[in-house]
Amino acid sequence: MGEPLDKYLLAGLDERERGFSRPVGFEQNSHLYRAILQYESTRVVTEPQMTQDGALLALIQTLHAQGYRQLKTQMSFRQGTYLGSQEPWIEYPDPLQSAHRSSGLLTKLLGWCYARRTSSL
């Protein structure tokens, strides 16, 4: 048997805007890794990846594609050693929302500047 695998805690909003926090596990099969998330009746297993980090990122991308948002992870076990909440949370920007947020903020700012300019004339 190989080295113990890392485990993460994954938190965010599901596709119905409900907050959740669940452990993410990994399985290894001949030097390839899969990330596994069980959330309610849904089980998400990634395609095999070269690293655990790659499998975790594939899981995040899969969940984003299914409408999950505000995703973040925190490593809870490193090679079998429990870390508690020592490790920092890693946030994964929502792919579509970050683009909309930027353009929305810029639009609001420009609108505010325009309104201020026209009201002072």
mmCIF file of all heavy atoms in Angstrom, residues 91-116:
data_model
loop_
_atom_site.group_PDB
_atom_site.id
_atom_site.type_symbol
_atom_site.label_atom_id
_atom_site.label_comp_id
_atom_site.label_asym_id
_atom_site.label_seq_id
_atom_site.Cartn_x
_atom_site.Cartn_y
_atom_site.Cartn_z
ATOM 1 N N GLU A 91 -9.612 29.858 -2.473
ATOM 2 C CA GLU A 91 -10.858 30.190 -3.172
ATOM 3 C C GLU A 91 -10.678 30.041 -4.675
ATOM 4 O O GLU A 91 -9.618 30.352 -5.208
ATOM 5 C CB GLU A 91 -11.289 31.611 -2.819
ATOM 6 C CG GLU A 91 -11.605 31.750 -1.340
ATOM 7 C CD GLU A 91 -12.121 33.131 -0.972
ATOM 8 O OE1 GLU A 91 -12.450 33.928 -1.870
ATOM 9 O OE2 GLU A 91 -12.196 33.394 0.236
ATOM 10 N N TYR A 92 -11.741 29.580 -5.332
ATOM 11 C CA TYR A 92 -11.740 29.369 -6.777
ATOM 12 C C TYR A 92 -12.789 30.296 -7.386
ATOM 13 O O TYR A 92 -13.983 30.090 -7.175
ATOM 14 C CB TYR A 92 -12.072 27.907 -7.111
ATOM 15 C CG TYR A 92 -11.095 26.953 -6.460
ATOM 16 C CD1 TYR A 92 -11.326 26.470 -5.179
ATOM 17 C CD2 TYR A 92 -9.935 26.568 -7.115
ATOM 18 C CE1 TYR A 92 -10.420 25.611 -4.568
ATOM 19 C CE2 TYR A 92 -9.026 25.703 -6.517
ATOM 20 C CZ TYR A 92 -9.280 25.238 -5.239
ATOM 21 O OH TYR A 92 -8.385 24.393 -4.638
ATOM 22 N N PRO A 93 -12.353 31.327 -8.105
ATOM 23 C CA PRO A 93 -13.325 32.290 -8.658
ATOM 24 C C PRO A 93 -14.335 31.606 -9.576
ATOM 25 O O PRO A 93 -13.984 30.691 -10.322
ATOM 26 C CB PRO A 93 -12.464 33.262 -9.460
ATOM 27 C CG PRO A 93 -11.051 32.996 -9.067
ATOM 28 C CD PRO A 93 -10.985 31.626 -8.492
ATOM 29 N N ASP A 94 -15.562 32.048 -9.476
ATOM 30 C CA ASP A 94 -16.600 31.543 -10.372
ATOM 31 C C ASP A 94 -16.281 31.993 -11.780
ATOM 32 O O ASP A 94 -16.044 33.185 -12.003
ATOM 33 C CB ASP A 94 -17.966 32.071 -9.953
ATOM 34 C CG ASP A 94 -18.355 31.640 -8.545
ATOM 35 O OD1 ASP A 94 -17.821 30.613 -8.077
ATOM 36 O OD2 ASP A 94 -19.173 32.321 -7.920
ATOM 37 N N PRO A 95 -16.251 31.080 -12.749
ATOM 38 C CA PRO A 95 -15.808 31.449 -14.101
ATOM 39 C C PRO A 95 -16.656 32.531 -14.768
ATOM 40 O O PRO A 95 -16.120 33.487 -15.288
ATOM 41 C CB PRO A 95 -15.873 30.146 -14.883
ATOM 42 C CG PRO A 95 -16.516 29.147 -14.011
ATOM 43 C CD PRO A 95 -16.609 29.690 -12.631
ATOM 44 N N LEU A 96 -17.958 32.422 -14.725
ATOM 45 C CA LEU A 96 -18.803 33.415 -15.398
ATOM 46 C C LEU A 96 -19.044 34.623 -14.518
ATOM 47 O O LEU A 96 -19.054 35.739 -14.997
ATOM 48 C CB LEU A 96 -20.138 32.790 -15.806
ATOM 49 C CG LEU A 96 -20.038 31.686 -16.841
ATOM 50 C CD1 LEU A 96 -21.409 31.088 -17.103
ATOM 51 C CD2 LEU A 96 -19.440 32.216 -18.124
ATOM 52 N N GLN A 97 -19.238 34.393 -13.248
ATOM 53 C CA GLN A 97 -19.570 35.488 -12.346
ATOM 54 C C GLN A 97 -18.447 36.519 -12.263
ATOM 55 O O GLN A 97 -18.706 37.696 -12.201
ATOM 56 C CB GLN A 97 -19.883 34.963 -10.958
ATOM 57 C CG GLN A 97 -20.358 36.074 -10.030
ATOM 58 C CD GLN A 97 -20.694 35.565 -8.662
ATOM 59 O OE1 GLN A 97 -20.693 34.379 -8.412
ATOM 60 N NE2 GLN A 97 -20.987 36.464 -7.767
ATOM 61 N N SER A 98 -17.195 36.083 -12.286
ATOM 62 C CA SER A 98 -16.107 37.051 -12.167
ATOM 63 C C SER A 98 -16.089 37.988 -13.359
ATOM 64 O O SER A 98 -15.838 39.168 -13.218
ATOM 65 C CB SER A 98 -14.760 36.343 -11.997
ATOM 66 O OG SER A 98 -14.482 35.530 -13.110
ATOM 67 N N ALA A 99 -16.407 37.484 -14.550
ATOM 68 C CA ALA A 99 -16.468 38.352 -15.728
ATOM 69 C C ALA A 99 -17.661 39.301 -15.630
ATOM 70 O O ALA A 99 -17.545 40.483 -15.916
ATOM 71 C CB ALA A 99 -16.563 37.513 -16.994
ATOM 72 N N HIS A 100 -18.814 38.780 -15.185
ATOM 73 C CA HIS A 100 -19.998 39.633 -15.038
ATOM 74 C C HIS A 100 -19.798 40.660 -13.934
ATOM 75 O O HIS A 100 -20.209 41.794 -14.061
ATOM 76 C CB HIS A 100 -21.239 38.787 -14.742
ATOM 77 C CG HIS A 100 -21.701 37.976 -15.902
ATOM 78 N ND1 HIS A 100 -22.139 38.543 -17.061
ATOM 79 C CD2 HIS A 100 -21.772 36.640 -16.079
ATOM 80 C CE1 HIS A 100 -22.471 37.596 -17.918
ATOM 81 N NE2 HIS A 100 -22.251 36.425 -17.340
ATOM 82 N N ARG A 101 -19.163 40.251 -12.842
ATOM 83 C CA ARG A 101 -18.940 41.158 -11.728
ATOM 84 C C ARG A 101 -18.072 42.313 -12.171
ATOM 85 O O ARG A 101 -18.342 43.456 -11.853
ATOM 86 C CB ARG A 101 -18.279 40.412 -10.569
ATOM 87 C CG ARG A 101 -18.220 41.232 -9.319
ATOM 88 C CD ARG A 101 -17.583 40.505 -8.158
ATOM 89 N NE ARG A 101 -17.841 39.097 -8.168
ATOM 90 C CZ ARG A 101 -16.993 38.187 -7.737
ATOM 91 N NH1 ARG A 101 -15.842 38.536 -7.247
ATOM 92 N NH2 ARG A 101 -17.299 36.912 -7.771
ATOM 93 N N SER A 102 -17.023 42.039 -12.939
ATOM 94 C CA SER A 102 -16.126 43.105 -13.389
ATOM 95 C C SER A 102 -16.863 44.077 -14.286
ATOM 96 O O SER A 102 -16.784 45.278 -14.104
ATOM 97 C CB SER A 102 -14.940 42.502 -14.155
ATOM 98 O OG SER A 102 -14.214 41.662 -13.311
ATOM 99 N N SER A 103 -17.575 43.546 -15.273
ATOM 100 C CA SER A 103 -18.270 44.449 -16.179
ATOM 101 C C SER A 103 -19.408 45.161 -15.462
ATOM 102 O O SER A 103 -19.682 46.316 -15.723
ATOM 103 C CB SER A 103 -18.787 43.694 -17.409
ATOM 104 O OG SER A 103 -19.771 42.755 -17.032
ATOM 105 N N GLY A 104 -20.071 44.493 -14.524
ATOM 106 C CA GLY A 104 -21.138 45.125 -13.766
ATOM 107 C C GLY A 104 -20.618 46.250 -12.902
ATOM 108 O O GLY A 104 -21.208 47.323 -12.824
ATOM 109 N N LEU A 105 -19.492 46.039 -12.258
ATOM 110 C CA LEU A 105 -18.894 47.060 -11.414
ATOM 111 C C LEU A 105 -18.440 48.250 -12.251
ATOM 112 O O LEU A 105 -18.680 49.398 -11.886
ATOM 113 C CB LEU A 105 -17.710 46.476 -10.635
ATOM 114 C CG LEU A 105 -16.985 47.429 -9.697
ATOM 115 C CD1 LEU A 105 -17.937 47.966 -8.641
ATOM 116 C CD2 LEU A 105 -15.817 46.718 -9.047
ATOM 117 N N LEU A 106 -17.813 47.983 -13.371
ATOM 118 C CA LEU A 106 -17.369 49.055 -14.252
ATOM 119 C C LEU A 106 -18.567 49.852 -14.768
ATOM 120 O O LEU A 106 -18.539 51.083 -14.776
ATOM 121 C CB LEU A 106 -16.554 48.486 -15.421
ATOM 122 C CG LEU A 106 -15.992 49.514 -16.401
ATOM 123 C CD1 LEU A 106 -15.092 50.505 -15.678
ATOM 124 C CD2 LEU A 106 -15.236 48.817 -17.511
ATOM 125 N N THR A 107 -19.609 49.159 -15.156
ATOM 126 C CA THR A 107 -20.812 49.833 -15.645
ATOM 127 C C THR A 107 -21.409 50.726 -14.552
ATOM 128 O O THR A 107 -21.788 51.865 -14.806
ATOM 129 C CB THR A 107 -21.851 48.800 -16.114
ATOM 130 O OG1 THR A 107 -21.260 48.011 -17.148
ATOM 131 C CG2 THR A 107 -23.108 49.457 -16.634
ATOM 132 N N LYS A 108 -21.473 50.202 -13.309
ATOM 133 C CA LYS A 108 -22.012 50.996 -12.204
ATOM 134 C C LYS A 108 -21.143 52.220 -11.926
ATOM 135 O O LYS A 108 -21.645 53.313 -11.709
ATOM 136 C CB LYS A 108 -22.113 50.144 -10.948
ATOM 137 C CG LYS A 108 -23.237 49.136 -10.993
ATOM 138 C CD LYS A 108 -23.242 48.306 -9.739
ATOM 139 C CE LYS A 108 -24.298 47.228 -9.842
ATOM 140 N NZ LYS A 108 -24.278 46.325 -8.695
ATOM 141 N N LEU A 109 -19.839 52.023 -11.943
ATOM 142 C CA LEU A 109 -18.917 53.125 -11.675
ATOM 143 C C LEU A 109 -19.043 54.207 -12.750
ATOM 144 O O LEU A 109 -19.120 55.391 -12.437
ATOM 145 C CB LEU A 109 -17.474 52.607 -11.598
ATOM 146 C CG LEU A 109 -16.399 53.641 -11.286
ATOM 147 C CD1 LEU A 109 -16.658 54.291 -9.939
ATOM 148 C CD2 LEU A 109 -15.025 52.998 -11.310
ATOM 149 N N LEU A 110 -19.065 53.780 -14.004
ATOM 150 C CA LEU A 110 -19.205 54.751 -15.087
ATOM 151 C C LEU A 110 -20.549 55.474 -15.013
ATOM 152 O O LEU A 110 -20.629 56.679 -15.241
ATOM 153 C CB LEU A 110 -19.032 54.080 -16.445
ATOM 154 C CG LEU A 110 -17.608 53.604 -16.759
ATOM 155 C CD1 LEU A 110 -17.591 52.803 -18.061
ATOM 156 C CD2 LEU A 110 -16.647 54.763 -16.822
ATOM 157 N N GLY A 111 -21.599 54.719 -14.666
ATOM 158 C CA GLY A 111 -22.924 55.329 -14.518
ATOM 159 C C GLY A 111 -22.942 56.348 -13.400
ATOM 160 O O GLY A 111 -23.502 57.437 -13.525
ATOM 161 N N TRP A 112 -22.294 56.020 -12.279
ATOM 162 C CA TRP A 112 -22.219 56.943 -11.148
ATOM 163 C C TRP A 112 -21.455 58.208 -11.529
ATOM 164 O O TRP A 112 -21.877 59.310 -11.226
ATOM 165 C CB TRP A 112 -21.545 56.233 -9.972
ATOM 166 C CG TRP A 112 -21.415 57.097 -8.756
ATOM 167 C CD1 TRP A 112 -22.381 57.385 -7.841
ATOM 168 C CD2 TRP A 112 -20.239 57.770 -8.319
ATOM 169 N NE1 TRP A 112 -21.886 58.205 -6.865
ATOM 170 C CE2 TRP A 112 -20.558 58.463 -7.134
ATOM 171 C CE3 TRP A 112 -18.940 57.873 -8.807
ATOM 172 C CZ2 TRP A 112 -19.634 59.240 -6.431
ATOM 173 C CZ3 TRP A 112 -18.027 58.632 -8.116
ATOM 174 C CH2 TRP A 112 -18.382 59.306 -6.938
ATOM 175 N N CYS A 113 -20.308 58.037 -12.238
ATOM 176 C CA CYS A 113 -19.508 59.197 -12.672
ATOM 177 C C CYS A 113 -20.321 60.069 -13.631
ATOM 178 O O CYS A 113 -20.302 61.295 -13.521
ATOM 179 C CB CYS A 113 -18.216 58.750 -13.350
ATOM 180 S SG CYS A 113 -17.040 58.017 -12.198
ATOM 181 N N TYR A 114 -21.019 59.439 -14.551
ATOM 182 C CA TYR A 114 -21.818 60.176 -15.523
ATOM 183 C C TYR A 114 -22.935 60.955 -14.798
ATOM 184 O O TYR A 114 -23.165 62.135 -15.083
ATOM 185 C CB TYR A 114 -22.412 59.236 -16.568
ATOM 186 C CG TYR A 114 -23.286 59.942 -17.563
ATOM 187 C CD1 TYR A 114 -22.712 60.712 -18.586
ATOM 188 C CD2 TYR A 114 -24.668 59.861 -17.497
ATOM 189 C CE1 TYR A 114 -23.525 61.388 -19.502
ATOM 190 C CE2 TYR A 114 -25.470 60.524 -18.406
ATOM 191 C CZ TYR A 114 -24.890 61.296 -19.399
ATOM 192 O OH TYR A 114 -25.679 61.945 -20.304
ATOM 193 N N ALA A 115 -23.600 60.295 -13.835
ATOM 194 C CA ALA A 115 -24.691 60.933 -13.092
ATOM 195 C C ALA A 115 -24.168 62.122 -12.291
ATOM 196 O O ALA A 115 -24.792 63.176 -12.253
ATOM 197 C CB ALA A 115 -25.388 59.924 -12.173
ATOM 198 N N ARG A 116 -23.004 61.991 -11.683
ATOM 199 C CA ARG A 116 -22.415 63.082 -10.909
ATOM 200 C C ARG A 116 -22.049 64.250 -11.821
ATOM 201 O O ARG A 116 -22.237 65.397 -11.470
ATOM 202 C CB ARG A 116 -21.177 62.607 -10.151
ATOM 203 C CG ARG A 116 -21.440 61.511 -9.179
ATOM 204 C CD ARG A 116 -21.376 61.873 -7.769
ATOM 205 N NE ARG A 116 -20.231 62.706 -7.427
ATOM 206 C CZ ARG A 116 -20.251 63.516 -6.400
ATOM 207 N NH1 ARG A 116 -21.318 63.610 -5.659
ATOM 208 N NH2 ARG A 116 -19.204 64.237 -6.094
#
